Every structure is written in C-alpha cells, then in structure tokens.
Amino acid sequence: MSKKGSRKEFLFHIMLKENPQLLKQLWDVDYQHDNLEKPVQDGYMDMNGLDQQSGLPVMIESQLNQSDDNHFKKVKRLIDETNEGIIAWFAPSFRTEHISALSKLVHFQTIKPIKLYFVELNDSFLDELTHLNQLTDMAFWERLSAGLVVLPELSVVGCASTMPDHYQARDDHSIWVPDNPTISTYYKNQYFMRRLSKRMPYFLNVHRYKKLKSNQLNFGTGRTSIRLAFSLVNRMEQPYIEFSITNPKQYEKAMFEQVLNDVASQRLKQTNWSVDHRILMYYTFSDDFSSIVEELIDQFEWLYSIYEPILNHQESQPIIKEEQVSLF
C-alpha cells in the first residue's frame, strides 16, 4: 500500500462513511464503518468496515483520477492478502487492462471467497470536491450535516467474484465493543475515540485511524510542525491534552504563540500548564473514567475553539510578540 491520500480523497471517504446508503445502492451491503486510512503492511487502506448481513470485511480503495498502476497494485495486494471479503475500487474511470487483469486474477487464480467491484464516480462530483477542499474542517462538516453537499453518483462498471450467493463469513471480523472500557489501554482509547467522534464529529481527524494500543493518541492540526495529542494512560496516571510545536517555521511559531496567549488569558482552575513550546493540560480531579473522558473532551472543545480559527485564518489574525506570552 502507498502513503495516505489527498485531503480531497479523505473528504470523499467521510462522505461515504456518513452516507452508507451510497454503498447499499451499489450492492446489498449493510455497511458498518471501522476505520479511515488504516495502516497496513507498507502503507494505508483508504477505508474499511463490515457488512453486517454476511459478517464479511469491506475494503475500499479510491482515487480521483483515471485508474493507474499504483492503485492497481494496491488493489491486487488486497486481493492477495484477504482471505474473504468485499473489495471496492473507486475511480472516475478505469483503464480496460486494469479491469481485465484483476478480473482474471479473481476468477482464475483465486480460490478464496472474494468479491471485487469497480465503481466509477461522476465527473461533476470532482468539481464539488475541489470546492469542498477549500473549506475549513468545520465548514465542510456543517455543509455535510445540513445536506448541502452534492453526493457522488456511483455506478458499478465491473464485478469479479468467487463468492457463492448468500455466503456468510467463516471468520469473525466483527467490530467488538467491550462492556467495560477500562480493562486495557486499547479499550480505554476506543471508548474515548467513540465519545470524541460523537461529541466533535466536525474535528475531522477524529475519523482517521488511531493506534489505540498507544498511551498517547496523536492527531494532526493541518500544520506540519504544530501537533495535538491526547493521553488517557501514562506513567503518572494523569490524562492530558498536549498542543505543541516542533522545529517551527516562523509563521507557525507566531500562530502557536497567539494560541498560547489566548489560552493563558482564559486559563481554567482545573488545568495545569507547562510551557516549553507546548501547552499541557492534565487532570487529577476525578476517579471515574467516563467523567474524565467527558471533561477531557470539554476541555478540548474549548481549546479547539481557540486554535482552529487561528490556524485556519492566520493571515487575518494579529500576530503577537513572544514577550507578550506569559502564564504567570
């Protein structure tokens, strides 16, 4: 697999995730979403989930131009590495040789239950994506939630299958959610991500795959050197949010300093701060895990309301000087 796709592709994946009826219109699948941009052997899978009717995994690869050799190799590898499942390749158009080669692979060289779809996107939708890509994350989500986004028209132009009718998965691919989210770091993080996604779906990076076994969950901010991280589990047993800058360019440093200034002027009593090119917000005030998660998200919503307009509209924001920044 190759590196992560463009932001336009990511917006397309979110539109599919939030409108599973688009997939149901293509084939009879009851799609339950799992991850966007999930790391695999040497790259990323664009989108994956589960067909709740058959219990089969659903894997989606997409591109916003005519099918090319790079994506052909990615889909071929999915076929090679998948024991059973539904694979869909989305593109505005397909080269005949790509459809022919993968169809022959499935029909004549694969003895596994695989169903492969070639799905075309309408050209006018690409113009819509170009427009949406110019919006901030918040503005995109507001338009999507209000039904003001023109959804893609999808059409199956080819299908190759070795899967019998009414086939049911042999293996368990279910997306399991534990009754007790505090039994491990993984399930603590899974619970946190579910709550964050429900409370702040407009924070688009919450939709991306996260390494849930890690003590710290890393989120992007859209800026190379400005980083955002969460932790529910650490050596001090103190959950925290970290907003920091590393190897900063001058204009990114100026944006960070403005965020720091605004945070300092609104400092909350429950929050402790450490300032060394970072803002560290950590918590010790509750023993109840679900309460900690809700408070952490409350604090992040507040932080987001400060940094998001600064990072997205930096040209219109006044730039403060370093000596103005003080928490003490």
Side-chain angles (χ1 to χ4, degrees):
M1 302 292 162
S2 64
K3 64 183 181 179
K4 289 183 181 180
S6 67
R7 183 174 184 267
K8 285 200 294 186
E9 286 182 71
F10 180 58
L11 298 183
F12 169 54
H13 300 151
I14 289 180
M15 293 165 73
L16 286 181
K17 169 184 176 293
E18 295 300 313
N19 295 277
Q21 74 276 8
L22 291 172
L23 299 180
K24 193 170 183 65
Q25 291 169 5
L26 294 176
W27 61 83
D28 189 21
V29 59
D30 184 7
Y31 181 75
Q32 179 187 7
H33 180 70
D34 192 8
N35 291 298
L36 295 181
E37 297 184 347
K38 180 179 179 180
V40 289
Q41 185 174 356
D42 56 356
Y44 291 85
M45 183 192 306
D46 286 341
M47 187 171 176
N48 73 289
L50 187 74
D51 173 19
Q52 297 185 87
Q53 294 183 33
S54 64
L56 287 166
V58 177
M59 293 149 282
I60 293 175
E61 190 62 44
S62 70
Q63 60 184 115
L64 300 181
N65 51 10
Q66 186 182 47
S67 65
D68 56 32
D69 290 342
N70 180 51
H71 285 81
F72 169 83
K73 292 175 183 176
K74 293 172 71 175
V75 175
K76 181 178 183 299
R77 185 169 298 173
L78 279 179
I79 296 170
D80 291 339
E81 296 178 355
T82 299
N83 292 325
E84 57 180 356
I86 301 167
I87 301 171
W89 183 6
F90 290 77
S93 63
F94 289 90
R95 288 162 51 183
T96 303
E97 58 266 33
H98 288 152
I99 294 179
S100 177
L102 290 180
S103 296
K104 288 178 180 178
L105 172 63
V106 171
H107 286 144
F108 301 112
Q109 300 179 42
T110 301
I111 58 174
K112 304 173 291 186
I114 298 289
K115 187 172 286 188
L116 171 65
Y117 292 94
F118 302 91
V119 184
E120 283 190 349
L121 310 168
N122 57 310
D123 290 338
S124 59
F125 174 67
L126 302 182
D127 295 332
E128 171 77 352
L129 270 181
T130 298
H131 169 68
L132 294 172
N133 193 45
Q134 297 170 354
L135 303 178
T136 65
D137 288 357
M138 178 76 83
F140 164 77
W141 187 263
E142 288 176 349
R143 288 185 64 82
L144 183 65
S145 302
L148 300 176
V149 169
V150 178
L151 297 176
E153 298 174 11
L154 306 175
S155 56
V156 176
V157 296
C159 178
S161 176
T162 56
M163 190 177 294
D165 292 340
H166 311 297
Y167 178 84
Q168 293 293 309
R170 294 174 302 193
D171 299 325
D172 182 11
H173 305 283
S174 59
I175 303 170
W176 182 64
V177 178
D179 293 331
N180 181 3
T182 65
I183 58 178
S184 70
T185 298
Y186 179 90
Y187 292 117
K188 284 182 179 181
N189 286 337
Q190 185 189 57
Y191 176 83
F192 174 74
M193 288 292 292
R194 288 204 318 273
R195 293 299 304 154
L196 183 60
S197 179
K198 185 173 182 178
R199 288 270 304 274
M200 297 182 62
Y202 52 86
F203 174 51
L204 296 190
N205 279 328
V206 76
H207 300 282
R208 295 181 190 267
Y209 174 88
K210 296 293 178 291
K211 296 179 180 179
L212 299 181
K213 292 183 179 180
S214 301
N215 285 350
Q216 182 170 274
L217 300 177
N218 294 310
F219 294 83
T221 61
R223 299 288 174 178
T224 304
S225 300
I226 301 179
R227 142 181 206 274
L228 176 68
F230 290 79
S231 178
L232 292 169
V233 182
N234 59 77
R235 281 176 286 183
M236 300 299 293
E237 294 296 325
Q238 292 178 315
Y240 64 82
I241 301 171
E242 180 183 335
F243 187 80
S244 58
I245 189 163
T246 60
N247 192 26
K249 297 178 181 178
Q250 186 58 40
Y251 76 95
E252 289 183 332
K253 183 181 178 183
M255 286 189 288
F256 176 81
E257 289 172 346
Q258 186 171 344
V259 173
L260 179 60
N261 184 73
D262 287 357
V263 166
S265 67
Q266 303 178 46
R267 182 172 58 169
L268 303 183
K269 294 180 180 179
Q270 304 101 312
T271 306
N272 296 283
W273 305 96
S274 172
V275 183
D276 183 13
H277 292 299
R278 66 176 184 165
I279 302 169
L280 187 63
M281 308 161 64
Y282 61 93
Y283 304 89
T284 58
F285 52 83
S286 176
D287 293 327
D288 178 68
F289 177 72
S290 60
S291 296
I292 290 174
V293 169
E294 297 307 315
E295 290 290 347
L296 200 66
I297 295 174
D298 286 343
Q299 293 299 313
F300 176 60
E301 283 190 288
W302 171 74
L303 178 62
Y304 181 90
S305 70
I306 292 174
Y307 84 74
E308 192 274 342
I310 293 174
L311 266 58
N312 282 306
H313 307 290
Q314 73 279 10
E315 292 182 359
S316 63
Q317 298 291 326
I319 302 300
I320 61 172
K321 296 181 180 180
E322 188 167 359
E323 58 267 25
Q324 291 178 285
V325 181
S326 175
L327 294 180
F328 309 103

